Amino acid sequence: MKDVTKNAIFKRLNGDFEYYARYQRIKQISSRVRVSEYLITTACNIRCKGCWFFEYDFDKRTKDLSKKDEIKKFLISERNRGINTSLIIGGEPTLHPKRLELFAEIMEFNSISTNGLKALPKEGFKDFSVLISLFGGGSLDDDLRAIKPNGNSFSGLFETALKNYKYDPRAHFIFAVTEDGIAHIEETVRKISENGNTVSVNFYSKYGTSIHSGPSTKKDYLMKFCESGSCFQRHSLATLTTLKLW
């Protein structure tokens, strides 16, 4: 093996041989990945505040392709045009496992984006990647997402997702942190780590507002966000910056 210590990527990874080896594996597989996103259902078992799909009535303006033979025909046409990787969204994909079975049959790599309320079975879907949404952390997640289609609220959405995917190597949490959620980062990350899962993080303005009060305010929020990042090292979430999509 050639000396990698002078490699620019190796240096950007702070000389970490394990990360460099992972980078090389990702590089090898990425050359043959051709991905497309598929919305497989207009149905969802919750109503997150600000959800673009329901806010803009996409559920009323679109219709599910529900017949198995039609879905299969469509997916075969996708493979024929070179697509071998799916990112499956909804609505809520786990509501239709029979449709997901067709992706497992035809596509080489598959990922679903889920709210975590319903577990994706392991049988038939062991090679799927499960990307679980998480908003705000702590009690904020229930405030923003634990809302039934009839408008009634409930509690424990995050806890349900943890239970459904405990020590599940397929599961990866997508943690969207708002300024009000910075105080919840430590506890939330700890729970994910103790549950045997990994996490990626992004930052967004809290529902109903935006950070427009000036650069100093935005900078202050982002500084607090970055300062809280040490908890990821403490809880050994080594895949923080390498989101697995398949």
Side-chain angles (χ1 to χ4, degrees), residues 38 40 63-79 98-99 102-103 105-107:
Y38 303 96
I40 69 163
K63 184 178 180 180
D64 284 13
L65 185 64
S66 57
K67 293 183 179 180
K68 185 176 180 178
D69 58 340
E70 292 180 352
I71 298 174
K72 188 171 184 176
K73 181 179 179 181
F74 170 74
L75 291 178
I76 290 174
S77 71
E78 289 292 275
R79 282 307 302 263
K98 293 297 183 181
R99 298 178 191 179
L102 296 173
F103 284 87
E105 176 186 343
I106 297 170
M107 290 294 180

Side-chain angles (χ1 to χ4, degrees), residues 87 111-114 129-133 172 174 243-245:
L87 174 57
S111 300
I112 67 165
S113 177
T114 178
S129 180
V130 182
L131 310 177
I132 308 167
S133 299
H172 183 93
I174 309 297
L243 172 60
K244 177 185 175 186
L245 290 180

Side-chain angles (χ1 to χ4, degrees), residues 86-211:
S86 72
L87 174 57
I88 307 165
I89 63 172
E92 173 52 45
T94 59
L95 297 178
H96 292 285
K98 293 297 183 181
R99 298 178 191 179
L100 295 177
E101 287 176 356
L102 296 173
F103 284 87
E105 176 186 343
I106 297 170
M107 290 294 180
E108 187 173 359
F109 308 111
N110 294 285
S111 300
I112 67 165
S113 177
T114 178
N115 55 47
L117 190 59
K118 184 177 175 66
L120 179 70
K122 291 184 178 180
E123 185 176 353
F125 305 106
K126 66 181 182 65
D127 294 326
F128 271 55
S129 180
V130 182
L131 310 177
I132 308 167
S133 299
L134 173 63
F135 290 3
S139 59
L140 291 178
D141 190 58
D142 278 351
D143 292 341
L144 292 169
R145 301 197 304 141
I147 305 166
K148 297 179 180 179
N150 63 8
N152 293 335
S153 60
F154 62 98
S155 61
L157 178 55
F158 176 43
E159 287 72 19
T160 299
L162 289 172
K163 181 180 179 181
N164 285 338
Y165 294 99
K166 188 174 181 66
Y167 294 113
D168 190 333
R170 304 174 303 168
H172 183 93
F173 282 83
I174 309 297
F175 184 11
V177 180
T178 177
E179 53 266 37
D180 289 344
I182 290 175
H184 298 293
I185 291 177
E186 174 78 34
E187 178 187 7
T188 302
V189 170
R190 176 182 57 78
K191 287 182 177 179
I192 294 172
S193 177
E194 291 175 351
N195 206 58
N197 308 127
T198 54
V199 60
S200 292
V201 180
N202 57 67
F203 183 85
Y204 75 105
S205 297
K206 63 184 179 180
Y207 173 73
T209 67
S210 58
I211 304 175

